[in-house]
Amino acid sequence: MAEPGYDPDFLDTTLAPPQAPDEPGPFPELERPLDYVHFSLRMHPTRRLAWWVAWNIDGLRLFPGDSISRSGERFRADPRIPAEAQTLDAAYADNRLDRGHVARRSDLLWGTLDEARAANSDSFHFTNITPQLDDFNQSGRGGSWGLLENAVLAQEGLEDRRLTLFAGPVLRADDPDYRDIVQVPREHWKVVCYRIEGQLRSKCFVLSQDLDGVVDRSFLDDFDTYLVPLELLEERTGLRFASLRDAVPAGLRLPDGPVLVADAEEVDW
């Protein structure tokens, strides 16, 4: 089996995961990333959620999502870090919160059949899960959010049908507390990187979820996806994408401000 984890050189240019600020926490095990098949992630030191998740998609070796069953797969804690550092089942019992994948299960089902099955199983670790309202996570009601990767893979001139992605929750200090277990993120973010006709490109997106009317929408409305400039994404997340800034020309990091994405296929990829 291939080496596990996110491959920063997947697009023939080194794209390191974002740099997180130094924040103290009680668990030294969270100071380094965790590797899985086809993805890696870094847990936040105190929020019990991923700070970021990084993954690759090989579209030429991608299995259809329904060809590898999720039946029998259970959401589970990662035994490599303390259970107390993870948001587990108690946060999702008897409410509208879904266990939402950060790295999509269907994105990870590539390579050999054994690799795809292993990646499928790895995607169910709670470290790759965030609390998402059922409207956000089910039946495609998040609009274009779940279709961004599909739209890029359909582009003419996409080199080797390959994508690199970074994503995670926007972890704000004023996110609402739930059951004294977890602060539920109001927003999620995603960065899609790819090559078209030899040119490395990237697009950054943010999506909000309305938490019973308490969300501060700012420029965001319920379940709408917005294309945002890299600088704004860094400001909202506190993360820094130094390698992305160095590798992608500034002219391809448009727009100047948030732009509503009504249809993922209409993005100027």
Side-chain angles (χ1 to χ4, degrees):
M1 181 177 292
E3 287 297 318
Y6 167 72
D7 180 359
D9 299 312
F10 195 69
L11 298 181
D12 297 326
T13 296
T14 300
L15 295 175
Q19 297 83 48
D22 291 329
E23 291 193 19
F27 305 110
E29 299 92 334
L30 306 188
E31 295 176 2
R32 57 186 180 276
L34 296 167
D35 290 335
Y36 303 86
V37 178
H38 300 326
F39 70 104
S40 300
L41 58 85
R42 170 87 185 275
M43 294 294 288
H44 189 277
T46 60
R47 288 289 299 269
R48 301 181 181 179
L49 297 171
W51 225 336
W52 54 259
V53 182
W55 71 102
N56 310 111
I57 304 176
D58 187 340
L60 294 178
R61 299 194 294 155
L62 190 64
F63 289 84
D66 59 0
S67 67
I68 295 178
S69 176
R70 60 184 295 161
S71 177
E73 294 293 346
R74 301 185 64 182
F75 294 95
R76 61 196 186 278
D78 189 319
R80 295 175 292 179
I81 62 174
E84 304 92 308
Q86 305 173 61
T87 299
L88 306 179
D89 272 320
Y92 302 95
D94 302 319
N95 57 33
R96 290 182 55 203
L97 290 177
D98 277 353
R99 302 164 183 85
H101 285 69
V102 179
R104 293 195 313 176
R105 184 188 77 93
S106 59
D107 287 354
L108 305 172
L109 306 183
W110 57 269
T112 67
L113 182 57
D114 285 345
E115 286 175 337
R117 285 173 172 166
N120 176 61
S121 182
D122 274 357
S123 75
F124 286 88
H125 282 96
F126 274 113
T127 49
N128 184 44
I129 304 301
T130 61
Q132 298 174 6
L133 285 179
D134 49 14
D135 283 343
F136 179 110
N137 192 42
Q138 291 180 358
S139 304
R141 285 190 255 178
S144 58
W145 185 254
L147 303 176
L148 296 171
E149 294 96 307
N150 300 8
V152 186
L153 287 169
Q155 295 301 303
E156 292 291 334
L158 179 67
E159 287 191 1
D160 300 323
R161 321 310 295 174
R162 288 189 163 207
L163 305 179
T164 281
L165 297 103
F166 308 108
V170 177
L171 300 176
R172 293 169 41 172
D174 61 351
D175 285 332
D177 184 73
Y178 185 71
R179 295 180 174 175
D180 292 325
I181 296 174
V182 63
Q183 287 180 264
V184 181
R186 292 177 170 90
E187 302 168 7
H188 287 72
W189 61 272
K190 183 180 290 184
V191 177
V192 185
C193 308
Y194 53 98
R195 283 188 181 275
I196 289 184
E197 297 176 351
Q199 189 176 57
L200 185 67
R201 305 184 182 191
S202 69
K203 295 289 187 293
C204 306
F205 302 90
V206 175
L207 176 69
S208 72
Q209 54 182 344
D210 184 356
L211 302 176
D212 295 330
V214 301
V215 65
D216 175 12
R217 290 182 179 81
S218 180
F219 61 81
L220 297 161
D221 292 321
D222 302 352
F223 306 116
D224 278 339
T225 300
Y226 280 78
L227 175 66
V228 301
L230 178 62
E231 292 75 13
L232 180 56
L233 183 66
E234 290 182 325
E235 178 184 335
R236 294 186 81 82
T237 63
L239 301 171
R240 293 293 176 263
F241 296 81
S243 66
L244 189 63
R245 189 183 299 278
D246 291 341
V248 179
L252 296 176
R253 295 202 300 267
L254 299 174
D256 293 331
V259 174
L260 177 66
V261 178
D263 185 338
E265 295 182 359
E266 294 179 357
V267 174
D268 183 12
W269 296 105

